[in-house]
PDB file of all heavy atoms in Angstrom:
ATOM      1  N   ALA W   7      -1.449  17.840   2.035  1.00  0.00           N
ATOM      2  CA  ALA W   7      -0.771  18.973   2.626  1.00  0.00           C
ATOM      3  C   ALA W   7      -1.378  20.197   2.002  1.00  0.00           C
ATOM      4  O   ALA W   7      -1.174  20.479   0.859  1.00  0.00           O
ATOM      5  CB  ALA W   7       0.714  18.927   2.309  1.00  0.00           C
ATOM      6  N   ASP W 126     -13.159  22.323  17.754  1.00  0.00           N
ATOM      7  CA  ASP W 126     -13.325  23.333  18.789  1.00  0.00           C
ATOM      8  C   ASP W 126     -12.851  24.689  18.261  1.00  0.00           C
ATOM      9  O   ASP W 126     -11.649  24.878  18.030  1.00  0.00           O
ATOM     10  CB  ASP W 126     -12.521  22.940  20.028  1.00  0.00           C
ATOM     11  CG  ASP W 126     -12.750  23.883  21.198  1.00  0.00           C
ATOM     12  OD1 ASP W 126     -13.279  25.006  20.994  1.00  0.00           O
ATOM     13  OD2 ASP W 126     -12.386  23.516  22.326  1.00  0.00           O
ATOM     14  N   LEU W 134      -9.953  23.037  10.463  1.00  0.00           N
ATOM     15  CA  LEU W 134     -11.406  23.116  10.580  1.00  0.00           C
ATOM     16  C   LEU W 134     -11.999  23.527   9.248  1.00  0.00           C
ATOM     17  O   LEU W 134     -11.581  24.506   8.650  1.00  0.00           O
ATOM     18  CB  LEU W 134     -11.796  24.111  11.675  1.00  0.00           C
ATOM     19  CG  LEU W 134     -13.302  24.338  11.885  1.00  0.00           C
ATOM     20  CD1 LEU W 134     -13.998  23.048  12.288  1.00  0.00           C
ATOM     21  CD2 LEU W 134     -13.538  25.416  12.936  1.00  0.00           C
ATOM     22  N   VAL W 293      -9.747  45.402 -13.632  1.00  0.00           N
ATOM     23  CA  VAL W 293      -8.304  45.545 -13.400  1.00  0.00           C
ATOM     24  C   VAL W 293      -7.638  44.171 -13.419  1.00  0.00           C
ATOM     25  O   VAL W 293      -6.568  43.995 -14.021  1.00  0.00           O
ATOM     26  CB  VAL W 293      -8.035  46.278 -12.079  1.00  0.00           C
ATOM     27  CG1 VAL W 293      -6.537  46.278 -11.759  1.00  0.00           C
ATOM     28  CG2 VAL W 293      -8.560  47.706 -12.150  1.00  0.00           C
ATOM     29  N   ASP W 302       1.758  36.944 -20.957  1.00  0.00           N
ATOM     30  CA  ASP W 302       1.774  35.750 -21.811  1.00  0.00           C
ATOM     31  C   ASP W 302       2.011  34.559 -20.871  1.00  0.00           C
ATOM     32  O   ASP W 302       3.144  34.320 -20.434  1.00  0.00           O
ATOM     33  CB  ASP W 302       2.885  35.857 -22.848  1.00  0.00           C
ATOM     34  CG  ASP W 302       2.917  34.680 -23.808  1.00  0.00           C
ATOM     35  OD1 ASP W 302       2.318  33.633 -23.481  1.00  0.00           O
ATOM     36  OD2 ASP W 302       3.550  34.792 -24.869  1.00  0.00           O
ATOM     37  N   ASP W 468     -21.429  24.371  -3.308  1.00  0.00           N
ATOM     38  CA  ASP W 468     -22.521  23.857  -2.485  1.00  0.00           C
ATOM     39  C   ASP W 468     -23.245  22.707  -3.194  1.00  0.00           C
ATOM     40  O   ASP W 468     -23.627  21.715  -2.559  1.00  0.00           O
ATOM     41  CB  ASP W 468     -23.518  24.978  -2.179  1.00  0.00           C
ATOM     42  CG  ASP W 468     -22.980  25.985  -1.167  1.00  0.00           C
ATOM     43  OD1 ASP W 468     -21.971  25.673  -0.508  1.00  0.00           O
ATOM     44  OD2 ASP W 468     -23.561  27.072  -1.052  1.00  0.00           O
ATOM     45  N   PRO W 516       7.329  10.494  -4.079  1.00  0.00           N
ATOM     46  CA  PRO W 516       7.110  11.751  -3.364  1.00  0.00           C
ATOM     47  C   PRO W 516       6.294  12.731  -4.195  1.00  0.00           C
ATOM     48  O   PRO W 516       6.225  12.629  -5.414  1.00  0.00           O
ATOM     49  CB  PRO W 516       8.529  12.277  -3.151  1.00  0.00           C
ATOM     50  CG  PRO W 516       9.289  11.725  -4.325  1.00  0.00           C
ATOM     51  CD  PRO W 516       8.691  10.365  -4.614  1.00  0.00           C
ATOM     52  N   ARG W 527      14.020   3.677   2.675  1.00  0.00           N
ATOM     53  CA  ARG W 527      14.935   2.540   2.761  1.00  0.00           C
ATOM     54  C   ARG W 527      16.356   3.040   2.504  1.00  0.00           C
ATOM     55  O   ARG W 527      16.637   3.628   1.453  1.00  0.00           O
ATOM     56  CB  ARG W 527      14.567   1.450   1.743  1.00  0.00           C
ATOM     57  CG  ARG W 527      13.204   0.807   1.981  1.00  0.00           C
ATOM     58  CD  ARG W 527      13.159   0.001   3.261  1.00  0.00           C
ATOM     59  NE  ARG W 527      11.853  -0.646   3.455  1.00  0.00           N
ATOM     60  CZ  ARG W 527      10.847  -0.100   4.140  1.00  0.00           C
ATOM     61  NH1 ARG W 527      10.984   1.092   4.686  1.00  0.00           N
ATOM     62  NH2 ARG W 527       9.711  -0.753   4.283  1.00  0.00           N
ATOM     63  N   LYS W 530      23.106   0.116   1.604  1.00  0.00           N
ATOM     64  CA  LYS W 530      24.494  -0.042   2.086  1.00  0.00           C
ATOM     65  C   LYS W 530      25.456   0.754   1.218  1.00  0.00           C
ATOM     66  O   LYS W 530      25.243   0.909   0.025  1.00  0.00           O
ATOM     67  CB  LYS W 530      24.885  -1.518   2.060  1.00  0.00           C
ATOM     68  CG  LYS W 530      24.165  -2.361   3.106  1.00  0.00           C
ATOM     69  CD  LYS W 530      24.643  -3.800   3.051  1.00  0.00           C
ATOM     70  CE  LYS W 530      23.945  -4.658   4.098  1.00  0.00           C
ATOM     71  NZ  LYS W 530      24.353  -6.077   4.041  1.00  0.00           N
TER      72      LYS W 530
END
Side-chain angles (χ1 to χ4, degrees):
D126 185 344
L134 178 61
V293 173
D302 183 342
D468 287 345
R527 296 293 182 268
K530 290 182 179 178

